[in-house]
């Protein structure tokens, strides 16, 4: 196996799918010059008929992808920042996501939307730091968030092959991370969680950019004699509830570590899942460490309070095991 | 215009008459509670859908509006399956998932009536792009109302169509009102087709009460699109003789004068056009009327006979590929 960076692995996956299937086309702002690097060199290999630099018109090019998909193409739409989802929201959730059902099951809408630098980076403030995946999950939209280079390629390829709209969140914090990537063609199927670290005392469900933080926290806990299991759902919808529940039933303690807003966030949904289906096994209330419900602030000390942190996770894990109420 | 055959001229009338009578039957059925909810009637605007869709081939694509029955019938939609959909029956186009505002038939190139104003135009651009990428000379038509000309998605779609020279025709049905808002107050333009100039495309305005004028304008725009000339904007000046939707009367709102409505009714295409046909002895419109009645009787009977969907299928059809737990149940 080779070592690749997350973004390189994704790019490789995209190019492979484009070679495999001539109906894959790419639309987005600045895709030819590839500010993010996902589509670097793409115009040279695939030419202008399959690669479209769009105007700043998120609603229109998102809708165009829907129409092209209904007519047999397989568009990949790149949004460079999260907030563009808000601009295109009607075309995402009212059109792409609803049309097939409203049409009584006619047609397929195989569009992949990739948010190439999702979540917060340092000091990009309120409109460039959101992680709005719960909004899409709320609407029933298939959504994945790979956290390793291997999954970044495998889930992206799976998303492109899926016959429904799929949103791929690629966390900014992970784009440069390196990891092993298998040779050759493979996909990481939707709907299967990854046990990132096995453990016996406590389950941490960590999402996206927080997975490496959770693994680091698990190391610290191990030194304290606590064996933490870290689960990376990686496919948020469809969700592999069984793997999550099995872990909770084994450990009896669950801490959720999620980079979306607190209210109606993904962690809230998971907390309800554990309450509904693993209640008998729980030996302490489920805890969640999430973002605060404010826009991400600019100044560094403020930013670190608003975003979920390893320190808070550790506190929650220790409290959960000690039976201390949050 | 002289090149239209007798069959085409009669076909125009058959389509317009079908739309008019379909809408009138729909209102009757809503009043009898056989159709749930409300509908947005196309009464008065029949010449637009008819003139445009008769300029299209079966493999061309349309995107429609919330006032879509006319477009769908004109594009070849089956009145039986439409009526069944309006009644929420299994034989309906959308198996009861869509109703009046969402009727679609992908095989007929009908990419859906749409409840969001202006939202269909980008989708039409996508269909046009796909046709070109597949090496076909297909054309897509985006229908929208005057209100949509102030909607961002539409203006963005006009731009995309223009820069990529997509084979798309933007058909503006200017009926003067966006629900209660007069376009005279909502746009600085006297002629909505002037929007086209900002996107470097031709903008034509035709009499939307004259099916032959609409058809001629659409024929030109479609030919241009099909031959690689890029998009056009076709404004059709028309009028809805009735309310924005069937429940409007009950609301008791008034935003236009009886005189204005009466003035437009003088130009009712379902009066002027059959008179024109009769005068020139092209056909006896009464014979068409009779045939249309039979079609609609049959459609209503068909819809009535079709069963309601089974409650347990309410979650079916959302995904092409489902997974455990998808769609999530609400109970």
């Amino acid at each position: 196996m080779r070592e690749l960076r997350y973004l390189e692995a994704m790019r490789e996956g995209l190019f492979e799918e484009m070679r495999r299937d001539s109906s894959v086309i790419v639309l987005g702002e600045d895709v030819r010059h590839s500010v993010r690097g996902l589509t670097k060199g793409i115009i040279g290999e695939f030419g202008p008929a399959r690669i479209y630099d769009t105007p700043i018109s998120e609603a229109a090019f998102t809708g165009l992808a829907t129409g092209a998909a209904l007519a047999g193409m397989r568009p990949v739409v790149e949004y460079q920042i999260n907030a563009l989802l808000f601009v295109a929201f009607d075309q995402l959730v009212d059109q792409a996501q609803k049309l097939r059902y409203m049409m009584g099951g006619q047609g397929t809408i195989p569009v992949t939307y990739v948010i190439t630098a999702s979540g917060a980076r340092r000091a990009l403030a309120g409109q460039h730091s959101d992680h709005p995946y719960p909004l899409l999950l709320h609407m029933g939209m298939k959504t994945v968030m790979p956290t390793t280079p291997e999954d970044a390629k495998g889930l992206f390829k799976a998303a492109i092959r899926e016959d429904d709209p799929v949103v791929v969140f690629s966390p900014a914090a992970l784009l440069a991370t390196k990891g092993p990537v298998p040779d050759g063609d493979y996909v990481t199927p939707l709907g299967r969680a990854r046990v990132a670290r096995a453990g016996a005392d406590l389950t941490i469900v960590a999402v996206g950019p927080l997975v490496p933080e959770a693994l680091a926290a698990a190391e610290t806990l191990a030194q304290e004699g606590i064996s933490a299991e870290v689960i990376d759902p990686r496919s948020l919808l469809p969700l592999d509830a069984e793997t999550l529940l099995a872990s909770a039933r084994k450990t009896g303690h669950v801490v959720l570590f999620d980079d979306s807003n607190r209210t109606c966030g993904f962690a809230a949904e998971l907390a309800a899942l554990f309450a509904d289906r693993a209640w008998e096994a729980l030996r302490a209330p489920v805890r969640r460490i999430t973002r605060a419900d404010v826009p991400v602030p600019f100044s560094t000390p403020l930013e670190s309070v608003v975003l979920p942190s390893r320190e808070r996770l550790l506190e929650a894990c220790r409290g959960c095991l000690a039976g201390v109420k949050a | 215009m002289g090149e239209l055959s007798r069959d085409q001229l009669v076909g125009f009338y058959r389509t317009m008459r079908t739309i008019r009578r379909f809408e009138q039957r729909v209102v009757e059925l809503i009043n009898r509670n056989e159709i749930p909810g409300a509908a947005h009637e196309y009464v008065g605007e029949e010449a637009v859908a008819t003139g445009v869709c008769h300029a299209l081939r079966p493999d061309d694509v349309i995107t429609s509006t919330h006032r879509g029955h006319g477009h769908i019938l004109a594009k070849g939609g089956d009145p039986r399956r439409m009526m069944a959909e309006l009644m929420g029956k299994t034989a309906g186009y959308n198996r009861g998932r869509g109703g009046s505002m969402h009727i679609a038939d992908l095989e007929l190139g009908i990419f859906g009536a749409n409840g969001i104003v202006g939202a269909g135009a980008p989708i039409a651009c996508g269909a046009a792009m796909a046709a070109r990428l597949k090496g076909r000379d297909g054309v897509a038509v985006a229908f929208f109302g005057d209100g949509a000309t102030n909607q961002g998605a539409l203006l963005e779609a006009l731009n995309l169509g223009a820069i990529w020279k997509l084979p798309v025709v933007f058909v503006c049905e200017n009926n003067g009102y966006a629900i209660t808002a007069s376009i005279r107050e909502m746009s600085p333009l006297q002629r909505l087709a002037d929007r086209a100039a900002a996107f470097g495309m031709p903008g034509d305005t035709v009499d939307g009460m004259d099916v032959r004028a609409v058809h001629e304008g659409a024929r030109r725009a479609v030919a241009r699109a099909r031959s690689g000339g890029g998009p056009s904007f076709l404004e059709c000046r028309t009028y809805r003789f009735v309310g924005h939707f069937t429940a409007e009367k009950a609301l008791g709102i008034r935003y236009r004068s009886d005189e204005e409505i009466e003035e437009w009714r003088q130009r009712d295409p379902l009066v002027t056009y059959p008179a024109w046909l009769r005068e020139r002895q092209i056909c006896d419109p009464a014979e068409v009327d009779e045939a249309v009645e039979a079609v609609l009787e049959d459609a209503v009977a068909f819809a009535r006979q079709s069963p309601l969907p089974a409650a347990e299928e309410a979650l079916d059809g959302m995904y092409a590929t489902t997974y455990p737990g998808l769609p999530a149940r609400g109970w």
Side-chain angles (χ1 to χ4, degrees):
Chain A
M1 274 213 256
R2 311 149 297 148
E3 289 263 313
L4 285 183
R5 288 190 195 280
Y6 186 104
L7 197 65
E8 289 168 349
M10 274 190 94
R11 177 174 171 275
E12 195 175 86
L14 175 61
F15 278 53
E16 282 176 17
E17 291 307 298
M18 292 197 76
R19 285 177 205 131
R20 204 179 65 85
D21 183 347
S22 64
S23 65
V24 179
I25 58 172
V26 174
L27 301 155
E29 288 146 359
D30 314 299
V31 291
R32 286 179 303 192
H33 292 287
S34 194
V35 174
R36 296 277 174 239
L38 176 68
T39 52
K40 201 174 155 209
I42 204 167
I43 186 83
E45 178 164 349
F46 300 103
R50 294 177 67 190
I51 310 299
Y52 294 87
D53 260 10
T54 63
I56 310 288
S57 305
E58 290 82 12
F61 68 73
T62 303
L64 182 143
T66 305
L70 279 169
M73 305 310 292
R74 208 167 264 280
V76 174
V77 176
E78 187 191 27
Y79 303 110
Q80 294 186 45
I81 61 163
N82 324 289
L84 304 185
L85 292 178
F86 303 143
V87 184
F89 211 51
D90 172 65
Q91 287 294 338
L92 283 167
V93 303
D94 240 353
Q95 309 298 332
Q97 176 60 9
K98 285 186 188 167
L99 281 182
R100 183 183 153 84
Y101 181 85
M102 293 197 305
M103 297 193 302
Q106 291 180 68
T108 57
I109 304 175
V111 187
T112 304
Y113 316 88
V114 52
I115 296 97
T116 319
S118 71
R121 280 149 284 171
R122 183 57 65 85
L124 284 183
Q127 291 169 343
H128 279 46
S129 304
D130 281 323
H131 228 166
Y133 44 93
L135 300 180
L136 301 164
L137 307 180
H138 185 69
M139 300 307 292
M141 201 125 176
K142 291 178 177 175
T143 300
V144 299
M145 176 122 54
T147 68
T148 65
E150 176 175 349
D151 286 352
K153 178 174 174 181
L155 278 169
F156 192 20
K157 281 164 70 89
I160 293 170
R161 294 186 198 181
E162 192 79 4
D163 277 337
D164 292 309
V166 183
V167 186
V168 180
F169 282 88
S170 305
L174 298 177
L175 297 182
T177 55
K178 262 190 160 177
V181 175
D183 294 317
D185 184 31
Y186 72 95
V187 296
T188 307
L190 270 59
R192 290 198 210 151
R194 180 173 72 93
V195 180
R197 177 192 171 108
D201 301 332
L202 169 83
T203 299
I204 301 171
V205 183
V207 181
L210 299 180
V211 173
E213 290 297 308
L215 288 169
E219 279 301 316
T220 306
L221 292 171
Q223 285 159 22
E224 299 168 19
I226 298 166
S227 164
E229 182 149 284
V230 177
I231 313 268
D232 169 10
R234 70 184 172 179
S235 173
L236 310 183
L237 193 85
L239 178 72
D240 180 2
E242 294 312 320
T243 296
L244 271 62
L245 291 166
S247 179
R249 288 178 188 130
K250 180 172 73 175
T251 65
H253 298 92
V254 177
V255 178
L256 307 172
F257 196 31
D258 175 40
D259 189 35
S260 62
N261 285 16
R262 187 168 187 88
T263 305
C264 297
F266 185 54
E269 179 60 31
L270 292 183
L273 172 78
F274 289 113
D276 281 346
R277 294 180 57 195
W279 177 250
E280 317 74 36
L282 292 178
R283 287 188 272 154
V286 172
R287 293 179 179 234
R288 54 187 161 136
I289 303 298
T290 69
R291 285 188 175 203
D293 288 345
V294 296
V296 172
F298 169 74
S299 180
T300 303
L302 304 179
E303 191 182 54
S304 60
V305 172
V306 166
L307 295 175
S309 70
R310 196 192 305 180
E311 293 68 33
R312 288 218 181 77
L313 173 66
L314 282 166
E315 239 171 81
C317 290
R318 293 177 189 127
C320 182
L321 281 164
V324 179
K325 280 196 130 190
Chain B
M1 281 204 256
E3 66 209 57
L4 291 169
S5 68
R6 179 190 171 278
D7 276 1
Q8 283 174 303
L9 292 169
V10 178
F12 289 170
Y13 181 59
R14 189 180 305 109
T15 300
M16 290 200 295
R17 178 77 186 182
T18 304
I19 298 171
R20 173 67 57 93
R21 290 296 296 141
F22 184 90
E23 298 293 55
Q24 290 171 337
R25 294 303 304 267
V26 165
V27 173
E28 288 164 25
L29 292 164
I30 287 174
N31 290 338
R32 294 162 54 105
N33 287 323
E34 285 191 65
I35 289 176
H40 301 82
E41 295 166 72
Y42 200 61
V43 169
E45 306 184 28
E46 295 88 346
V48 181
T50 303
V52 171
C53 289
H54 279 249
L56 296 176
R57 295 193 315 223
D59 61 326
D60 291 329
V61 167
I62 64 166
T63 59
S64 173
T65 67
H66 59 282
R67 198 178 303 290
H69 303 165
H71 308 139
I72 291 149
L73 286 164
K75 189 68 171 58
D78 178 356
R80 288 177 145 205
R81 296 187 61 199
M82 289 176 66
M83 206 57 97
E85 183 59 29
L86 290 174
M87 291 188 191
K89 302 293 191 75
T90 49
Y93 265 121
N94 309 33
R95 296 159 62 217
R97 268 72 160 173
S100 168
M101 266 193 290
H102 303 302
I103 295 176
D105 183 348
L106 296 184
E107 281 177 26
L108 291 175
I110 300 163
F111 277 27
N114 204 308
I116 305 298
V117 170
I123 296 171
C125 287
M129 180 189 269
R132 187 166 70 193
L133 287 170
K134 286 162 171 277
R136 302 192 190 128
D137 64 348
V139 168
V141 166
F143 285 103
F144 54 90
D146 45 281
T149 61
N150 294 325
Q151 173 58 263
L154 179 85
L155 299 170
E156 291 180 18
L158 287 165
N159 187 56
L160 281 194
I163 60 171
W164 292 336
K165 275 188 171 272
L166 296 173
V168 60
V169 180
F170 297 96
V171 176
C172 176
E173 301 183 308
N174 182 0
N175 68 16
Y177 293 89
I179 311 187
T180 67
S182 164
I183 192 62
R184 290 187 301 274
E185 294 172 44
M186 297 298 159
S187 172
L189 299 179
Q190 290 296 310
R191 209 177 72 95
L192 296 180
D194 286 347
R195 293 265 191 214
F199 301 97
M201 71 175 75
D204 209 359
T205 300
V206 296
D207 179 358
M209 306 305 268
D210 177 348
V211 67
R212 287 174 303 138
V214 173
H215 184 263
E216 177 55 23
R219 201 190 51 72
R220 264 199 309 270
V222 169
R224 176 182 151 87
R226 209 181 299 288
S227 64
S232 310
F233 187 112
L234 180 66
E235 176 190 8
C236 305
R237 290 213 166 135
T238 183
Y239 201 75
R240 62 172 150 81
F241 295 163
V242 294
H244 166 67
F245 67 144
T246 44
E248 186 180 295
K249 225 177 193 171
L251 299 177
I253 45 176
R254 272 183 66 82
Y255 48 90
R256 44 189 197 169
S257 66
D258 293 338
E259 292 73 33
E260 181 184 294
I261 298 171
E262 193 42 44
E263 210 172 288
W264 279 92
R265 276 196 184 274
Q266 297 304 312
R267 301 170 51 206
D268 184 348
L270 270 303
V271 174
T272 57
Y273 188 65
W276 183 87
L277 290 174
R278 214 178 295 114
E279 241 167 64
R280 278 165 187 70
Q281 298 183 327
I282 294 166
C283 74
D284 176 5
E287 286 173 20
V288 174
D289 296 355
E290 208 174 304
V292 165
E293 272 336 277
V295 166
L296 291 176
E297 265 318 301
D298 168 68
V300 172
F302 172 83
R304 282 177 174 151
Q305 280 161 21
S306 173
L308 286 163
E312 57 266 27
E313 65 173 78
L315 303 192
D316 295 352
M318 179 161 168
Y319 299 106
T321 320
T322 59
Y323 291 85
L326 278 192
R329 294 151 58 106
W331 55 92

